[in-house]
Amino acid sequence: MNGKELYTTNQQTELAFLVGVEIKGDNAMMPLEDSLDELAFLALTAGLKVVGSESQSISSINPSTYIGKGKTQEIKLLAESLHADIILFDAELSPRNFRDLEEELGKSMRVLDRTTLILDIFGQHAQTSEGKLQVELAQYEYLLPRLTKAWSHLARQAGGGAGRTGNVGGVGLRGPGETQLEVDKRHIRSKISRLKEDLEKVRQHRLRYRKNRKTSNIPIVAMVGYTNAGKSTLHNALTESNVLIADKLFATLDPTTRRLNLPSGNNVLFTDTVGFIQKLPTHLIAAFRATLEEVTEADLLLHIVDINHQNAVAHFRSVVETLKEIGADSIPTVTVLNKIDDTDELPEIINAFPFFKEGIPISALKKIGLKDLLDEIDENLFSTFVEISVRIPYKNGQLISQFHQFGQIRRIEHGVGSVLIEGKIPGRLLADFTRFKSIK
């Protein structure tokens, strides 16, 4: 990929030159060239024009310029010959990396990294007040230790009515002096504190909302998957809704929930969530805590995989790792193999990777296999019963009612202050009863 043009478009005004780095011995999620292609797609989504790229294999990260001064100068000459405005790294750079790279590259080019780009895309795509708060917090937390003259790009979508010429939440970012930097940093720390307070209010509101949903006894199904795997298309196909669909990464950020009637007549709440990606910035995971709790509180996850993508396995593993990171890896999960209409190699793919063998093949776009998927959801939520013996205090009357409504009672014995119930309950409700298990 060295020096070649990846994507071209006449609509972009800022030109980006990509830099990919392979660290020897590092177990990367996907090959370097594919990761650079993904970075180019991210850049395109952010509104940049990618004019070229360069890659390098190194034994360890250079603490100063990440890639070493010699390679930095080589990239500078290549990027200048292509009139690039931005040098975009497929990695997360440290504050020192930014500072030293800016000194080496000069004033004519800005340095961005993968995390900055993703934050910028999230900023462009956040629609609700909650989404904007979450993105703004992540941007400020990432910006604070890296605050230098080069950070005017964050002004595009950061809160406070920022314009593209360099004003994040009222903080001027183009060429401030040292004293001004300290003023800006204090301002940003104050802003971060206020954003966290606002988001905690949002989180508490979501908690109350989820409690109300729980009392309705309608199970929650949340879709997860790599960005652009087809979650929104599937959500629309199953619920006849109109979630935005676009051939862009992170086209939708805010979770959308709709009621869905299953073939059995049972109802579920069906939620479309933000797409995951390799090297997902930790700042985003932290900032999107309230939204990601929609995943951790679900009764069942649908892991949507674009089975036709050349990196389907890497995407699958990346999502599994992210689910583990947010504490959702213990939730029952159905793997959904999407976009089967685009491939003739489905049997070979499934046979090559055992974790796909239990997957449900579908085409969300062509509405192929959707009944099998709905039957699988029905089976997981309403047909799998677990044997349990619980002693429930009368003050937890809601749980007693749940057992009567959804469970199969074999024995019931009323005592002083509590009731002993033995029988079976749907697996999706097990977590609610675990703390009341009776020890015989």
Side-chain angles (χ1 to χ4, degrees):
M1 291 180 69
N2 292 355
K4 78 175 183 181
E5 184 165 329
L6 300 176
Y7 293 87
T8 57
T9 169
N10 294 323
Q11 298 177 354
Q12 321 309 334
T13 56
E14 289 190 289
L15 309 182
F17 186 90
L18 311 187
V19 179
V21 180
E22 181 179 60
I23 303 171
K24 295 173 184 175
D26 188 23
N27 294 321
M29 194 67 72
M30 65 176 64
L32 175 60
E33 184 168 352
D34 292 342
S35 188
L36 269 177
D37 282 342
E38 183 175 89
L39 184 68
F41 198 5
L42 284 166
L44 190 67
T45 301
L48 304 175
K49 177 183 177 181
V50 177
V51 292
S53 70
E54 179 74 4
S55 58
Q56 182 188 29
S57 179
I58 57 178
S59 56
S60 62
I61 296 171
N62 184 292
S64 174
T65 60
Y66 199 89
I67 52 176
K69 288 191 176 183
K71 193 65 177 181
T72 301
Q73 288 303 313
E74 182 183 331
I75 286 171
K76 178 181 180 181
L77 292 174
L78 268 173
E80 284 177 342
S81 70
L82 294 168
H83 308 290
D85 306 297
I86 294 168
I87 305 295
L88 178 57
F89 279 74
D90 189 27
E92 183 172 309
L93 301 178
S94 70
R96 182 183 174 185
N97 292 152
F98 275 106
R99 184 180 64 249
D100 292 352
L101 282 166
E102 288 163 9
E103 289 178 1
E104 290 291 326
L105 294 170
K107 297 180 179 179
S108 61
M109 287 180 286
R110 290 185 288 125
V111 178
L112 305 185
D113 66 359
R114 182 187 178 90
T115 300
T116 311
L117 190 65
I118 293 174
L119 289 172
D120 190 74
I121 293 169
F122 270 56
Q124 292 181 43
H125 291 175
Q127 297 297 319
T128 65
S129 57
E130 176 188 353
K132 291 174 182 177
L133 282 172
Q134 291 173 131
V135 173
E136 191 176 356
L137 175 61
Q139 287 180 331
Y140 275 121
E141 289 192 323
Y142 192 66
L143 166 64
L144 182 58
R146 297 166 173 83
L147 189 58
T148 71
K149 62 180 181 178
W151 283 87
S152 58
H153 61 281
L154 268 183
R156 288 191 224 173
Q157 294 296 329
R164 189 160 184 165
T165 56
N167 211 303
V168 179
V171 179
L173 297 181
R174 189 173 295 279
E178 289 301 312
T179 302
Q180 185 61 46
L181 277 177
E182 290 307 312
V183 172
D184 291 346
K185 285 180 179 180
R186 283 196 296 273
H187 180 94
I188 289 175
R189 290 189 189 100
S190 175
K191 185 73 174 177
I192 287 172
S193 179
R194 289 197 300 272
L195 286 168
K196 285 183 175 179
E197 290 175 3
D198 290 342
L199 279 172
E200 183 56 29
K201 293 175 184 175
V202 170
R203 182 170 175 265
Q204 292 303 318
H205 174 75
R206 276 194 175 275
L207 282 173
R208 290 192 293 272
Y209 176 61
R210 277 194 292 270
K211 282 181 180 177
N212 290 336
R213 288 195 313 201
K214 286 286 186 182
T215 59
S216 71
N217 295 320
I218 301 177
I220 300 167
V221 179
M223 289 190 296
V224 297
Y226 210 78
T227 184
N228 226 27
K231 298 189 310 303
S232 296
T233 303
L234 179 58
H235 190 276
N236 289 348
L238 291 178
T239 65
E240 298 182 354
S241 54
N242 58 349
V243 176
L244 173 66
I245 299 171
D247 187 23
K248 289 185 177 183
L249 304 182
F250 306 115
T252 53
L253 292 184
D254 301 298
T256 304
T257 301
R258 297 285 186 273
R259 186 183 292 249
L260 176 65
N261 296 313
L262 298 175
S264 62
N266 292 308
N267 290 324
V268 297
L269 294 174
F270 204 61
T271 298
D272 182 18
T273 62
V274 62
F276 298 154
I277 196 169
Q278 65 152 347
K279 307 175 188 175
L280 189 66
T282 54
H283 298 276
L284 273 180
I285 293 176
F288 272 70
R289 178 185 173 196
T291 298
L292 290 173
E293 282 176 353
E294 291 291 320
V295 175
T296 61
E297 292 292 322
D299 298 289
L300 179 70
L301 300 181
L302 299 187
H303 182 169
I304 317 301
V305 181
D306 177 357
I307 200 64
N308 191 47
H309 199 285
Q310 62 182 3
N311 291 308
V313 174
H315 290 179
F316 177 87
R317 288 173 174 157
S318 180
V319 171
V320 169
E321 285 299 311
T322 305
L323 290 174
K324 196 176 297 183
E325 190 172 348
I326 66 174
D329 52 318
S330 61
I331 299 173
T333 303
V334 173
T335 301
V336 182
L337 310 178
N338 192 25
K339 305 187 184 182
I340 61 171
D341 54 303
D342 282 345
T343 181
D344 297 322
E345 301 175 357
L346 185 61
E348 292 85 349
I349 295 171
I350 292 176
N351 289 331
F353 304 104
F355 40 78
F356 286 155
K357 287 186 178 178
E358 299 300 318
I360 308 296
I362 70 158
S363 168
L365 183 64
K366 301 291 180 64
K367 298 187 177 181
I368 299 170
L370 298 190
K371 184 176 186 309
D372 290 339
L373 176 57
L374 292 174
D375 288 340
E376 185 70 16
I377 295 172
D378 235 335
E379 174 74 21
N380 274 269
L381 290 176
F382 298 100
S383 301
T384 304
F385 281 78
V386 180
E387 187 79 34
I388 194 170
S389 174
V390 290
R391 186 173 294 279
I392 306 173
Y394 290 121
K395 65 181 180 180
N396 298 97
Q398 179 189 333
L399 282 180
I400 299 172
S401 298
Q402 268 194 341
F403 210 128
H404 278 280
Q405 184 175 359
F406 298 104
Q408 300 170 358
I409 296 176
R410 186 178 64 256
R411 176 187 170 211
I412 185 167
E413 183 180 299
H414 292 275
V416 178
S418 64
V419 58
L420 174 69
I421 307 178
E422 294 178 356
K424 294 181 178 181
I425 57 170
R428 67 183 176 85
L429 298 179
L430 183 60
D432 296 335
F433 288 88
T434 301
R435 63 193 172 110
F436 297 112
K437 275 188 177 181
S438 174
I439 301 175
K440 296 181 179 180

